[in-house]
């Protein structure tokens, strides 16, 4: 909406409520309290809510059929003006609600002045924010699906690509790269579950609560809820206008998305560094240095990691905004919008950037394999092999440790020790030990549910493909 004409100069009096004021509000105070600069994003939701409210007022006989027709005609025109970027927003009219109402009255006269019967901006803004968020949650969920799909397709190409699995950032045991990628798909799936769950609580109707105590008109809230597609009513008028927990939950879910993206970003930064050399990112997602000609910097992952801080900050801002407020509505709540909007922009842009970047990741499988082989990562497999041959685990662990020490002194891999020498550590060792000492043997052996074996990863890829396609 940045293309809209600038807000008109401030006017002296605030017509919506200046009747009992002896002097006009100071110009600075008008600027300080106005929200139209950002709550314009709610305009279409505001119109949708007003249409449902007006239809309900007509149904219960508070508005005439003619008034309703005028309001519908006026709001349709306003929607067009907003969509075409022609609507003149006025800072003096404070917020999105008063701007639209004033324009409606300009267009249709008396009927415009009747629209606000039986409601308040307090229940109006809560309704608008819920309607808006409901639609945006669906967009975030779709963006999550886009990134999950990209990760699953990359995993499909690497079900058997061996890489080091780390604990404490030390090489621990070999894993498959596909398995590693699918770990993130699981995280994003839980993020999606959280959004789906939060959406149910977003999708309840506050309208009818009016300023705080309800209204004396014979309103039909169920009619409005049904018309707007809400799943239920906010059942207490004080709660309806005052709490923003639904927005906090949404931002919390987004903060977790950003934390998950940030972890992936951190890994990409590490993997891209020449010390690892596991992956290369497409040039269009990296930048050069103005001074060091050799550099190719992973700016997109770094920025995503950095932007997670913004969203976490917005979550803290909203929690703090809420914690000291007495019931019911307080103007503090006007501060809920910018954190929500910036969270949305940040999460949607970040998910899009990653969904587009992931398919272009080039993998250096040889570098991954070399790194996985460092530090005798199949020592556990040797111990497990001995246990399966009847050796008690403690003795098996000891024998494997001595074998590791011997290999380390030789500067070779466990699998490179000759059978005769391995047998010196335990007579239970036979020629089949080499099946488990290799990296391929180690990953293939972890074939239980949730394991890293290529066969299991391929199954998971198939499961995810079917699941994502079905959504
Ligand atoms: N702009 C306000 C907000 O965002 C709308 C509600 C204002 N209500 C009031 N009584 N001042 O919360």
């Amino acid at each position: 909406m940045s293309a809209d004409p600038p807000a008109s100069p401030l006017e002296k009096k605030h017509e919506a409520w200046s009747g009992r004021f002896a002097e006009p509000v100071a110009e600075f105070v008008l600027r300080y309290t106005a929200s139209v600069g950002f709550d314009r994003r709610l305009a279409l939701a505001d119109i949708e809510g007003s249409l449902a409210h007006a239809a309900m007022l007509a149904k219960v006989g508070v508005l005439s059929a003619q008034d309703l027709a005028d309001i519908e005609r006026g709001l349709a025109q306003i929607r067009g003006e907003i969509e075409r970027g022609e609507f003149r927003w006025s800072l003096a009219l404070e917020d999105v609600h008063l701007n639209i109402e004033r324009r409606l009255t300009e267009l249709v006269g008396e009927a415009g002045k009747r629209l606000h019967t039986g409601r308040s901006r307090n229940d109006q803004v809560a309704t608008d924010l819920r309607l808006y968020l409901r639609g945006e949650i669906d967009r975030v969920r779709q963006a999550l699906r886009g990134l999950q799909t990209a990760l699953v397709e990359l995993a499909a190409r690497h079900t058997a690509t061996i890489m080091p699995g780390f604990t404490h950032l030390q090489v621990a045991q070999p894993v498959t790269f596909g398995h590693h990628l699918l770990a993130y798909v699981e995280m994003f799936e839980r993020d999606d579950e959280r959004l789906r769950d939060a959406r149910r609580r977003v999708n309840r109707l506050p309208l009818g609560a009016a300023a705080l105590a309800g209204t004396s008109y014979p309103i039909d809230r169920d009619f409005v809820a049904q018309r707007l597609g809400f799943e239920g009513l906010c059942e207490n008028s004080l709660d309806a206008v005052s709490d923003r927990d639904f927005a906090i939950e949404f931002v919390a879910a987004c903060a977790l998305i950003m934390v998950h993206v940030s972890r992936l970003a951190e890994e990409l930064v590490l993997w891209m560094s020449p010390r690892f050399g596991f992956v290369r990112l497409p040039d269009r997602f990296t930048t050069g240095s103005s001074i060091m000609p050799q550099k190719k910097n992973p700016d997109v992952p770094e920025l995503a990691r950095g932007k997670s801080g913004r969203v976490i900050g917005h979550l803290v801002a909203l929690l703090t905004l809420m914690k000291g407020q007495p019931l019911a509505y307080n103007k503090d709540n006007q501060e809920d919008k910018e954190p929500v909007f910036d969270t949305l922009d940040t999460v949607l842009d970040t998910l899009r950037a990653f969904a587009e970047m992931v398919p272009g990741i080039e993998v250096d499988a040889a570098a991954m394999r070399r790194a996985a082989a460092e530090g005798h990562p199949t020592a556990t497999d040797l111990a497990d092999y001995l246990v399966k041959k009847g050796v008690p685990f403690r003795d098996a662990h000891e024998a494997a440790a001595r074998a590791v020490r011997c290999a380390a002194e030789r500067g070779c891999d466990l699998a490179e020790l000759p059978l005769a020498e391995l047998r010196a550590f335990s007579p239970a060792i036979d020629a089949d030990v080499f099946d488990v000492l290799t990296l391929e043997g180690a990953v293939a052996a972890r074939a239980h549910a949730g394991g890293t074996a290529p066969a299991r990863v391929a199954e998971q890829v198939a499961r995810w493909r079917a699941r994502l396609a079905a959504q």
Side-chain angles (χ1 to χ4, degrees), residues 35 39 95 97 121-122 125 329 331 334 337:
S35 55
D39 66 14
D95 57 26
H97 323 292
R121 277 183 296 157
N122 297 353
V125 71
Y329 176 84
K331 188 82 166 187
Q334 183 164 292
K337 289 167 203 65

Side-chain angles (χ1 to χ4, degrees), residues 33 35 38-39 42 94-97 120-122 125 244 329-337:
T33 54
S35 55
F38 49 86
D39 66 14
L42 300 177
E94 209 179 309
D95 57 26
V96 60
H97 323 292
S120 147
R121 277 183 296 157
N122 297 353
V125 71
R244 294 291 183 266
Y329 176 84
N330 302 280
K331 188 82 166 187
D332 309 43
N333 280 344
Q334 183 164 292
E335 288 289 304
D336 63 1
K337 289 167 203 65

Side-chain angles (χ1 to χ4, degrees), residues 23-87:
E23 59 173 3
V25 172
E27 180 167 322
F28 164 71
V29 174
L30 271 186
R31 284 187 197 284
Y32 187 72
T33 54
S35 55
V36 65
F38 49 86
D39 66 14
R40 292 192 289 177
R41 275 175 75 152
L42 300 177
L44 297 184
D46 194 70
I47 289 172
E48 210 187 326
S50 288
L51 284 169
H53 180 67
M56 181 277 290
L57 290 180
K59 173 180 173 270
V60 301
V62 173
L63 281 186
S64 69
Q66 185 58 53
D67 284 337
L68 175 61
D70 288 348
I71 287 171
E72 285 174 341
R73 175 171 50 83
L75 287 175
Q77 171 159 348
I78 291 171
R79 183 190 286 136
E81 289 174 0
I82 292 171
E83 282 169 351
R84 290 189 300 274
E86 290 166 11
F87 192 89

Side-chain angles (χ1 to χ4, degrees), residues 151 154 157-158 177 181 264 268 271 278-282 354 356-363:
L151 289 166
L154 186 58
R157 306 210 299 265
H158 294 284
F177 185 48
L181 292 168
L264 177 57
L268 288 172
W271 294 343
F278 289 0
V279 299
R280 285 205 356 234
L281 298 187
F354 270 63
E356 287 179 18
M357 182 175 67
V358 165
I361 291 177
E362 277 176 46
V363 174

